[in-house]
Amino acid sequence: MSKKVLIVGGVAGGASTAARLRRMDEKVEIILFERGKYISYANCGLPYYIGGAIEERSNLLLQTPEGMGEKFNMEVRVENEVLSVDKDNKKVKVKNLKTGEEYDESYDVLVLSPGSSPLKPPIPGIDLPNVFSLWTVPDTDKIKSYVDQKQPKRAVVVGGGFIGIEMAENLHDRGLHVSIVEMADQIMNNLDYDMAQLVHAHVASKGVNLHLGNGVKQFEQKGDVTIVHLQNGEQIETDMVILSIGVKPNGQLASDAGLDVNQRGGIIVNEYLQTSDENIYALGDAIEVVDFINHRKAMIPLAGPANKQGRIVANNICGRQEKYKGTQGSAIAKVFDLAVASTGNSEKVLGKIDKNYGKNYRVTYVHPNSHAGYYPGGVPMTIKLIFDMEGKVLGSQIVGYDGVDKRIDVIAASIRFGGTVYDLEELELAYAPPFSSAKDPVNMAGFTAENILSGVVEPMLVRELEEANRDDIVVLDVREPIERDMGFIDGSINIPLNDLRKQLNQLPKDKTIVVYCAVGIRAYIGARILMQNGYKAKNLLGGYRYYSVVTKDYNTSDITPPRQGIKEEKTEKVEVKSMNTIKLNACGLQCPGPIMQVYNKINDMNEGEVLEVTATDPGFPVDVKTWCEKTNNTFIRSEKCKDHFVVYLKKGPDCCKEIEGMTCDVNGKDGSSMVVFSGDLDKAIASFIIANGAAAMGKPVTMFFTFWGLNVLRKDEKVKVSKSIIEKMFGKMMPRGSKKLGISRMNMAGMGSIMIKKVMKDKNVDSLEDLIALAKKNGVRIVACTMSMDVMGLKKEELMDGIEYAGVASYLGAADDANVNLFI
């Protein structure tokens, strides 16, 4: 006789159980209950649909109830909520949410996959209409509809976990100014604080405000503005709020049925995923699992384990007796340009197990490139490896740009098979220059860990240096002197590595020498030199670059961000207005290679010349900016491209006020600026004729296009962008690009424009399109007013390439440096 199996919950674990069960047994009767409208949808993709990376909503729905029912010959009942379980009589009470009808359904085997729910603490104002949580498809629809229709400019994300960070990124990509509020002292709680600091630095570099170690006291509505009151008394003005505080297991159904649950409400299961009733299984976010590393009970809500548990539950229902061996917490997230990954236990988790556990494990850091340095596009990553005194790998965290997923998966696999750092040394991994190095980053992590365990080098962590008695140590900087211009550890002395052997007598042997360089490689060599000459030496893991990031405070002091959110422009090419631009390729160079190349090239350049540097080192833009400040050169700007960074520098000091990469005239106020308000063809032509004339005289020129003038900058072709109804109406009524403009007098239903274009052609006068191209070539700065764009409903994608986006302050800055200002 075939079994009757009821499954409660149709997402991830529940759907996985049902599909596997049917594949294993064609005769079993399966009924799947889901209280929502959707089953088997892509939870992890919801933020990216709101942000626009996933364009079609239907792509989120992996299975429809009808499709799954037909494919697997099962009954799928959506909008049916299981209210209670009678385990003694083996039946459940169900409510049809569409009709209100309640009914009983019997079972032979019951599977509970109720998932979890977002936390919603009793904060005053939390039920305001613009305060959202993201967990389901309907939640997604509400948020996307609000963003599309209301066009908010500012958002506050409460909570810095996976969903919170992904929402912050996607709202930022939609053009909102975003603030993150997190009760803990860091975002991404799966990371240790030091690795989270790398993420803080990157998030802050995108203009996202971080309020760490701070919670929300109250939400208050004042007119169109929502005030977020923080617990430390600060206030943030915003247009919308996303709650991502955390989740709680949906264990109430199990608890009410008399099944065993833990203090957090998580359902307790055995190694076969059975509850305290052998006929009832449970899985997914709602259950208590065993931590694979430390073998303690834990709640680890992840989609990957839930799907695997579904397969095991189905196998066990069919009599296979398969054990679930624990969750190790492997995870990865996209954080703007970064990939942030972890597996196994962090130092935080190990410390909670035993306050003295830190004496029983070691840590190492490496900063290798994603692939061979000599092949274009290699970018560094930071790998933190945690291992015990016998070398067994306990956990790892990686932050980088490319190749992070591959390395975390290799380490995760080694952990699952009981691997050690010695195994990581010996792993034979695929190598070709575009993909890796002959010594893969995973191998490098193993090499450095083995060096520590074998005593080849003794490490010092940044936190240990901060806590150390400086009277007992000497901090030695083995970088080149010009690198000191980028910053150094207070109280350190500088002996470049190449000079160290000749200057050993300058160092005391009765103190510990803590050696550091940029990222740790030269410091390791320096420590070995010292140790073999009778000195007690330690290598500061991570080097100065890591030290400078980890010890910095990224909490935002500006608590009232500007109303106008500006979407970051991701361009592949940057035009810098300069008479002479010299290019330097520093891709793939190890520290201090890039800065040394810049130093040598700048020495050969003339005052005022611009150097365009291409590099793959993510820290280089920050380093070189500091270097410019110290060496009296001018940092213009930097751009992030797909797999490299482009930085523009000018030799010599900033002569006056630099405006968005445009070099000012050394003779003073000799520039020209104009506001182009009109969208008339004749006025646009006059504007560009004047601009090109001024540029031909060597004057810096800024053209600020606002309101109807923005139509001059529109692309001719239609661009697919998301718009509200009013914005679409504006777009249809306004001319699309320079070829559609009318003239201010005698337009005659468009005939005037045709006539003036013919006269210009006959008289050999450049067309407006040619004048625009010439202006760009001559270095004219073309700026679109972002405020006017919002009012007119225009998007960046609709405007021509090679222009800038700014507000009125940018124009006023240009006008202040000009002796001619026009309004057209």
Side-chain angles (χ1 to χ4, degrees), residues 104 114 178 181 248 287 289 300 360 385 396 418 426 453 474 493 509 517 534 545 612 678 686 691 706-707 771 796 812:
D104 292 336
V178 181
V181 177
K248 60 181 178 180
I287 69 169
V289 297
I300 307 177
N360 301 319
L385 190 70
S396 180
E426 296 174 2
L453 289 176
V474 172
I493 64 173
K509 285 194 173 183
C517 61
R545 184 171 295 170
E612 176 187 328
S678 173
T706 184
F707 284 93
L771 289 170
K796 290 184 180 181
L812 293 174

Side-chain angles (χ1 to χ4, degrees), residues 2-3 20-28 30 318:
S2 62
K3 294 179 181 178
R20 174 66 176 176
L21 189 57
R22 173 58 69 223
R23 290 195 295 269
M24 295 298 294
D25 189 338
E26 184 63 25
K27 298 185 182 297
V28 66
I30 305 171
C318 294

Side-chain angles (χ1 to χ4, degrees), residues 160-423:
F162 285 101
I163 292 178
I165 296 301
E166 289 167 353
M167 277 305 305
E169 175 185 353
N170 281 279
L171 290 174
H172 176 273
D173 286 348
R174 290 291 300 266
L176 280 74
H177 186 288
V178 181
S179 298
I180 299 173
V181 177
E182 170 56 56
M183 179 76 77
D185 61 355
Q186 66 170 84
I187 60 176
M188 306 290 288
N189 194 50
N190 57 309
L191 302 178
D192 286 316
Y193 177 79
D194 52 359
M195 294 295 283
Q197 281 284 78
L198 300 176
V199 186
H200 295 160
H202 185 69
V203 171
S205 75
K206 296 296 182 179
V208 174
N209 289 348
L210 290 170
H211 300 270
L212 305 174
N214 213 341
V216 176
K217 183 179 180 181
Q218 177 187 357
F219 300 106
E220 179 187 9
Q221 193 69 28
K222 284 189 176 181
D224 295 333
V225 176
T226 298
I227 310 297
V228 182
H229 296 264
L230 303 185
Q231 290 180 353
N232 69 347
E234 294 180 352
Q235 298 177 9
I236 309 174
E237 294 185 0
T238 190
D239 303 313
M240 67 180 299
V241 176
I242 302 292
L243 296 176
S244 182
I245 300 172
V247 297
K248 60 181 178 180
N250 292 332
Q252 193 62 48
L253 183 65
S255 177
D256 291 345
L259 300 176
D260 292 345
V261 297
N262 63 18
Q263 289 183 340
R264 294 180 58 186
I267 305 170
I268 297 175
V269 295
N270 62 16
E271 57 190 354
Y272 300 103
L273 299 176
Q274 290 171 303
T275 67
S276 51
D277 184 312
E278 64 178 7
N279 296 307
I280 302 177
Y281 292 81
L283 69 152
D285 290 4
I287 69 169
E288 178 184 80
V289 297
V290 173
D291 186 303
F292 184 79
I293 306 298
N294 59 55
H295 310 297
R296 292 173 178 253
K297 301 293 186 180
M299 301 293 296
I300 307 177
L302 290 171
N307 279 277
K308 295 177 183 67
Q309 290 159 10
R311 180 184 178 91
I312 292 172
V313 166
N315 288 346
N316 290 340
I317 292 173
C318 294
R320 290 184 60 170
Q321 292 296 292
E322 187 174 334
K323 295 180 180 180
Y324 182 68
K325 298 177 183 178
T327 302
Q328 70 187 65
S330 298
I332 189 167
K334 178 181 179 293
V335 183
F336 293 92
D337 302 323
L338 288 180
V340 181
S342 64
T343 188
N345 282 180
S346 63
E347 288 193 85
K348 287 187 298 187
V349 171
L350 295 174
K352 289 177 182 177
I353 297 170
D354 183 352
K355 292 182 179 178
N356 296 317
Y357 198 80
K359 297 179 181 179
N360 301 319
Y361 72 85
R362 290 289 182 267
V363 173
T364 190
Y365 303 85
V366 291
H367 309 271
N369 275 351
S370 56
H371 60 252
Y374 56 82
Y375 187 87
V379 287
M381 65 183 74
T382 296
I383 302 178
K384 178 176 184 177
L385 190 70
I386 307 171
F387 48 97
D388 68 17
M389 303 306 291
E390 282 71 48
K392 184 176 180 180
V393 180
L394 302 175
S396 180
Q397 298 155 44
I398 309 180
V399 175
Y401 291 82
D402 185 38
V404 170
D405 53 344
K406 171 182 175 180
R407 276 69 190 208
I408 202 69
D409 284 344
V410 170
I411 296 173
S414 73
I415 290 175
R416 180 60 62 163
F417 300 132
T420 66
V421 300
Y422 309 108
D423 295 320

Side-chain angles (χ1 to χ4, degrees), residues 679 708 711-712 714 730-737 740-742:
W708 309 112
N711 292 314
V712 180
R714 291 185 75 184
F730 262 115
K732 289 181 179 179
M733 291 188 292
M734 295 187 298
R736 183 179 290 118
K740 300 291 185 180
L741 300 179

